[in-house]
Amino acid sequence: MAKKNSNIAPQGSLFKNLLTIVLLFIFLTGIFSLLGSSETAPKEVTLNELSSAISSDQVEKLEVKNLEDVQEVDILLKNGEKQIVYKDFDSSLEATLREDYGVDQAKISALNISRLQKSAWEIWGAALLPTLITLIFLGFLLWIMFGRAQQANSQAMSFGKSTARFFKPGDPKKKVTFADVAGAREAKEELREVVEFLKNPEKFQKLGARIPRGVLLLGAPGTGKTLLAKAVAGEADAPFFNISGSEFVEMFVGVGASRVRDLFKNAKKSAPSILFIDEIDAVGRHRGAGLGGGHDEREQTLNQILVEMDGFDTKDNVIVLAATNRPDVLDPALLRPGRFDRRVMIDMPDIRDRKEILEVHAKNKPLAKDVDLQKVAQRTPGFSGAELFNLLNEAAILTAKHDKKTIGNDEILESIEKVMMGPERKGKVYIEKEKKITAYHEAGHAIVGHILPNTDPIHKISIISRGHAAGYTLNLPQEDKNFHTRSEFLDELAMLLGGYAAEKIIFDDLTTGASNDLKRASDLARKLVTKFGMSEKMGPVVFGEHSDTVFLGKEIHEQRNYSEKIASEIDTEIEKFIADAYKKATEVIQENKEKLEKVTKRLMEVEVIEKEEFEALMQS
């Protein structure tokens, strides 16, 4: 079936091309016929009529042409009319007119008579030209048909070949080095050893050390895994083969395995080289998950990768780099020693890394003199390298939109919020009542967050819709945090419920605007009880286990390792956390109701309050 289907497409395409050419040929033939017939055909007359016209001085010119068996005489009358007459070769035109039709010799002598004699080439050309054109046209069609067939056969033969992109060493335009990769200091140190292995393998082989066969790059999306792999190849000045895991997988079983064999064969020929498989989880997922059993194409491809990595000779100076952001779904056979010997973790950039990344991406962008990238790095905790690039790119687009020459702080701050929450939706109009509810809601978040001691500082409050939110309160940490305390989580819970509490206190009613806050608060409260062990009643216990069986990249179910009684107690503790947080938020708002009114009134006037203005309002 595979062969049959693979040939249908080329034949259908060939038929379409052939039909197009035939229709084009007919169209052009019709056009030429119309052009050729646009001139009025001359009227055919007899020799008797010609002699009468000559005798009456109506003839301007005669042109005699010798055809194969007759003579053709083209007649041009003085009134511009054209006629034609045919005669035999038995005598000349003048003799025929004089002797047979009695035309006066003086009249004949006065005529402008010219004779055209076709050469043999012209005669044969006129006879063979239509046939020759037809043969050329048919030959052109046959050439196209054979070319298509050869292309189809070539594609069929190369179906199992590797589709990896190959980058030659030494190309300055495409060369990437560690200097081009900002941040990721620990990861670069680990990968420098890989560069040493490629540059000077004898140094390690003399000591009995085996060159690592595989290096697995782990990290969240956008942290620079692919860029680091290219930098390793650039530093080592080695050939670089780049392919995505999904490019191995086809609907026909065995194609992926064939491409794996071809890829490793090419990499060994170019050794020392680097073979980079991006998103390896596309083919390296845990086997035996019920996705087609042992005959599944993805599993056959994974088996071939495992075999090829085992088949590396100790002298094969080829290192396989792979990247994934889902190491939990990878098959254990991939991760054992001898295959991916090393795992390099690429963390999200800290504040120093973020500043370096911003400096790299700002090299070709004209920044205003007052732009401080250190402050931008402080305001972007949790941003990946890709998000930082997107931030400056959005700022440049916004600057061009405003017809400015340099990128300023306003454009950068606007871009930060756009990357975090989406673009502003200034066109979305709210009625006055909804705008007022939103203002009180966001003011409630801000005041609770400002008063409680363990929350991050408030940087901005806005009631301009952005993304799916009708408004937002932006609070950012002053420094990067690796750990969070119980008191921080409790104050964060209270801040999340600050908008809900404000609506209840001011309007004695509730709206759907707090739905996302309630979801986040409920999720955080459940984590406090079941994951972080921060419930005094439940104690330092983690509740719930995830199954090791992976289906489509996610666990099939969460396994409960506790009884129904414990489940009820967990629910009670979650309710207690939420109730305590709501009580704390309500108390803060009741005690600062006057400030709530000030902030809300200002929001209704200007719609956006920045950090400095908000702190001034809270101190007044």
Side-chain angles (χ1 to χ4, degrees):
M1 185 177 291
K3 282 188 175 180
K4 184 177 180 181
N5 290 338
S6 64
N7 289 333
I8 287 176
Q11 288 179 357
S13 176
L14 179 61
F15 175 75
K16 290 179 181 178
N17 291 333
L18 182 61
L19 181 61
T20 302
I21 293 173
V22 170
L23 292 175
L24 181 62
F25 178 74
I26 294 173
F27 175 74
L28 293 176
T29 303
I31 291 294
F32 289 134
S33 299
L34 289 174
L35 292 175
S37 60
S38 61
E39 186 179 355
T40 304
K43 178 183 177 182
E44 185 175 349
V45 296
T46 63
L47 288 171
N48 189 31
E49 291 173 323
L50 174 60
S51 62
S52 299
I54 294 173
S55 301
S56 58
D57 292 328
Q58 297 177 12
V59 178
E60 175 73 23
K61 180 182 178 183
L62 296 177
E63 189 177 83
V64 182
K65 298 178 182 177
N66 291 331
L67 303 182
E68 292 183 5
D69 52 355
V70 293
Q71 282 186 330
E72 176 187 305
V73 181
D74 294 331
I75 307 166
L76 177 61
L77 301 181
K78 290 183 179 180
N79 60 5
E81 183 183 352
K82 293 182 179 180
Q83 296 178 346
I84 189 171
V85 66
Y86 296 97
K87 65 176 288 296
D88 295 330
F89 283 107
D90 52 356
S91 61
S92 65
L93 176 62
E94 293 87 340
T96 301
L97 291 173
R98 185 179 61 253
E99 296 173 3
D100 297 341
Y101 294 94
V103 180
D104 186 36
Q105 179 63 41
K107 297 283 187 181
I108 295 173
S109 301
L111 289 175
N112 181 11
I113 301 176
S114 61
R115 288 178 170 79
L116 296 178
Q117 182 67 35
K118 285 190 175 181
S119 65
W121 287 107
E122 289 178 320
I123 296 173
W124 281 101
L128 296 178
L129 186 60
T131 305
L132 186 61
I133 291 175
T134 304
L135 290 176
I136 292 174
F137 178 69
L138 292 175
F140 178 68
L141 291 182
L142 290 174
W143 177 73
I144 291 178
M145 292 171 63
F146 283 119
R148 291 286 182 180
Q150 187 176 4
Q151 184 179 2
N153 291 333
S154 176
Q155 290 177 351
M157 294 297 292
S158 62
F159 196 59
K161 298 294 184 182
S162 167
T163 57
R165 291 160 294 282
F166 175 66
F167 298 94
K168 294 182 180 180
D171 188 349
K173 294 182 180 179
K174 297 182 180 180
K175 187 174 182 178
V176 179
T177 63
F178 286 143
D180 301 313
V181 183
R185 292 178 295 277
E186 292 82 2
K188 286 193 285 189
E189 286 301 320
E190 284 286 328
L191 293 173
R192 286 188 194 278
E193 296 184 10
V194 177
V195 175
E196 278 293 315
F197 285 137
L198 288 169
K199 282 187 172 181
N200 190 12
E202 295 82 5
K203 174 182 176 181
F204 300 92
Q205 290 171 354
K206 288 178 180 178
L207 298 174
R210 181 176 58 82
I211 296 175
R213 294 179 178 178
V215 178
L216 188 62
L217 305 178
L218 310 175
T223 50
K225 299 182 291 295
T226 303
L227 188 62
L228 277 170
K230 291 181 178 179
V232 171
E235 291 284 343
D237 204 25
F240 183 72
F241 294 85
N242 182 16
I243 192 170
S244 171
S246 60
E247 294 181 55
F248 290 116
V249 182
E250 291 284 351
M251 66 179 292
F252 306 115
V253 176
V255 173
S258 174
R259 290 180 177 177
V260 170
R261 288 191 294 269
D262 185 65
L263 175 61
F264 277 82
K265 179 181 177 182
N266 293 335
K268 291 175 184 177
K269 285 181 180 178
S270 303
S273 62
I274 292 176
L275 197 162
F276 177 56
I277 305 175
D278 201 2
E279 303 295 345
I280 194 173
D281 50 278
V283 290
R285 293 173 186 244
H286 199 296
R287 290 172 293 180
L291 295 176
H295 298 288
D296 177 55
E297 162 67 358
R298 179 185 54 79
E299 293 192 5
Q300 296 289 345
T301 305
L302 173 58
N303 291 337
Q304 189 61 47
I305 292 175
L306 298 176
V307 170
E308 290 292 339
M309 293 192 72
D310 268 346
F312 273 2
D313 190 270
T314 54
K315 296 182 180 179
D316 286 336
N317 201 4
V318 178
I319 293 180
V320 181
L321 295 180
T324 181
N325 51 32
R326 289 297 311 274
D328 54 311
V329 305
L330 294 180
D331 193 278
L334 265 179
L335 304 178
R336 73 159 176 81
R339 294 210 172 103
F340 284 99
D341 301 88
R342 297 195 172 195
R343 300 174 205 175
V344 178
M345 189 68 193
I346 305 171
D347 298 316
M348 296 293 283
D350 57 20
I351 185 170
R352 182 171 62 173
D353 291 340
R354 291 198 297 274
K355 182 183 178 183
E356 292 177 2
I357 293 170
L358 287 168
E359 288 172 348
V360 168
H361 294 315
K363 284 182 180 178
N364 62 340
K365 294 179 176 63
L367 299 182
K369 293 181 179 179
D370 61 339
V371 172
D372 187 353
L373 293 181
Q374 179 67 28
K375 291 183 178 179
V376 178
Q378 290 176 349
R379 197 154 181 168
T380 52
F383 274 44
S384 66
E387 288 172 323
L388 292 171
F389 166 78
N390 192 31
L391 185 160
L392 289 180
N393 188 60
E394 289 289 346
I397 293 172
L398 194 60
T399 303
K401 184 178 178 181
H402 294 165
D403 294 325
K404 293 183 178 180
K405 301 298 182 183
T406 57
I407 302 172
N409 282 313
D410 293 341
E411 287 77 23
I412 291 178
L413 294 178
E414 169 70 17
S415 299
I416 291 174
E417 295 173 25
K418 185 174 182 180
V419 172
M420 291 176 66
M421 293 172 284
E424 283 189 349
R425 300 166 64 193
K426 293 183 179 180
K428 189 170 183 179
V429 179
Y430 291 97
I431 60 176
E432 191 67 19
K433 182 180 178 181
E434 290 182 347
K435 186 177 180 181
K436 190 174 183 180
I437 292 172
T438 303
Y440 273 108
H441 183 100
E442 297 304 330
H445 283 307
I447 288 173
V448 174
H450 179 80
I451 297 298
L452 295 180
N454 298 304
T455 55
D456 297 323
I458 305 299
H459 280 257
K460 186 176 183 178
I461 314 167
S462 173
I463 58 172
I464 298 175
S465 178
R466 187 182 285 275
H468 293 290
Y472 59 94
T473 301
L474 185 64
N475 63 319
L476 298 172
Q478 292 179 323
E479 56 187 4
D480 293 320
K481 296 180 181 179
N482 295 317
F483 300 101
H484 296 273
T485 64
R486 184 175 185 271
S487 58
E488 288 175 347
F489 283 133
L490 294 180
D491 285 358
E492 184 181 348
L493 272 177
M495 182 182 172
L496 285 171
L497 296 173
Y500 180 89
E503 289 184 25
K504 182 69 175 175
I505 291 170
I506 300 299
F507 302 102
D508 194 25
D509 200 359
L510 298 171
T511 68
T512 57
S515 59
N516 185 57
D517 298 330
L518 297 177
K519 180 180 182 303
R520 291 168 59 193
S522 301
D523 291 342
L524 178 56
R526 180 168 293 277
K527 287 180 180 178
L528 289 174
V529 178
T530 62
K531 187 175 181 180
F532 300 146
M534 292 183 178
S535 167
E536 293 179 355
K537 181 179 179 181
M538 305 307 296
V541 182
V542 175
F543 297 97
E545 291 182 354
H546 295 294
S547 171
D548 290 335
T549 304
V550 178
F551 181 75
L552 296 179
K554 296 184 178 180
E555 294 81 4
I556 293 178
H557 64 281
E558 183 180 349
Q559 206 171 26
R560 281 174 49 171
N561 57 354
Y562 48 88
S563 64
E564 290 296 331
K565 179 184 177 183
I566 297 297
S568 177
E569 292 178 358
I570 290 173
D571 292 340
T572 302
E573 279 297 288
I574 293 172
E575 291 173 5
K576 184 176 183 300
F577 273 119
I578 297 294
D580 291 345
Y582 175 65
K583 181 181 178 182
K584 185 186 293 187
T586 302
E587 291 174 353
V588 171
I589 291 176
Q590 291 282 18
E591 294 171 0
N592 298 272
K593 198 169 183 180
E594 183 180 346
K595 294 179 179 179
L596 176 70
E597 294 292 343
K598 285 183 181 180
V599 174
T600 303
K601 182 181 178 181
R602 185 60 178 163
L603 273 175
M604 293 291 290
E605 293 173 357
V606 298
E607 295 186 331
V608 175
I609 299 177
E610 293 290 345
K611 178 182 179 181
E612 294 77 12
E613 184 179 3
F614 172 70
E615 290 179 349
L617 287 171
M618 294 301 292
Q619 291 173 3
S620 61

